[in-house]
């Protein structure tokens, strides 16, 4: 899909996509989500414990990324060497 086609769409055509079924679906999804979230009890804990849990989560995520990258490095190394402009697209 091209970005220019989004800007070329008139408001009448775009408003035709909003149907009562879509509004009902979005409303019910929001209501069900709100009910589930309102049932969750939040318990206060010590700030250092919360910081420790988050730090462990971040370190575990980094470890998983490093493990996956080390396993699949050989598969993608030649791709990045051959097409150097791909690296420019990565954040």
């Amino acid at each position: 899909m091209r970005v220019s086609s989004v800007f070329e769409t008139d408001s009448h055509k775009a408003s035709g996509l909003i149907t009562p079924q879509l509004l009902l679906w979005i409303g019910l999804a929001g209501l069900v989500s709100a009910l589930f979230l309102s049932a969750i009890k939040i318990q206060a804990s010590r700030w250092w414990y919360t910081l420790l849990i988050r730090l462990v989560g971040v370190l575990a995520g980094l470890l998983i990324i490093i493990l996956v990258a080390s396993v699949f490095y050989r598969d993608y190394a030649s791709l990045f060497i051959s097409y150097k402009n791909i690296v420019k697209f990565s954040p």
Side-chain angles (χ1 to χ4, degrees):
M1 183 173 165
R2 295 183 336 200
V3 175
S4 62
S5 66
V6 172
F7 293 114
E8 292 171 358
T9 304
D10 61 347
S11 61
H12 180 68
K13 187 176 181 182
S15 65
L17 297 173
I18 300 175
T19 62
Q21 291 87 3
L22 175 67
L23 295 175
L24 179 66
W25 176 255
I26 291 173
L28 286 176
L31 182 65
V32 169
S33 300
L35 289 175
F36 277 126
L37 288 175
S38 66
I40 296 174
K41 301 291 182 203
I42 298 175
Q43 298 176 352
S45 62
R46 301 192 185 269
W47 66 268
W48 56 267
Y49 181 74
T50 304
L51 183 66
L52 179 67
I53 294 296
R54 290 184 183 195
L55 184 64
V56 167
V58 167
L59 291 176
L62 287 174
L63 180 64
I64 290 171
I65 289 171
I66 290 170
L67 288 173
V68 169
S70 67
V71 170
F72 294 109
Y73 175 75
R74 282 185 281 143
D75 297 333
Y76 291 107
S78 62
L79 176 75
F80 289 123
I81 291 171
S82 299
Y83 301 100
K84 294 187 188 314
N85 58 354
I86 291 178
V87 178
K88 295 177 187 175
F89 294 119
S90 63

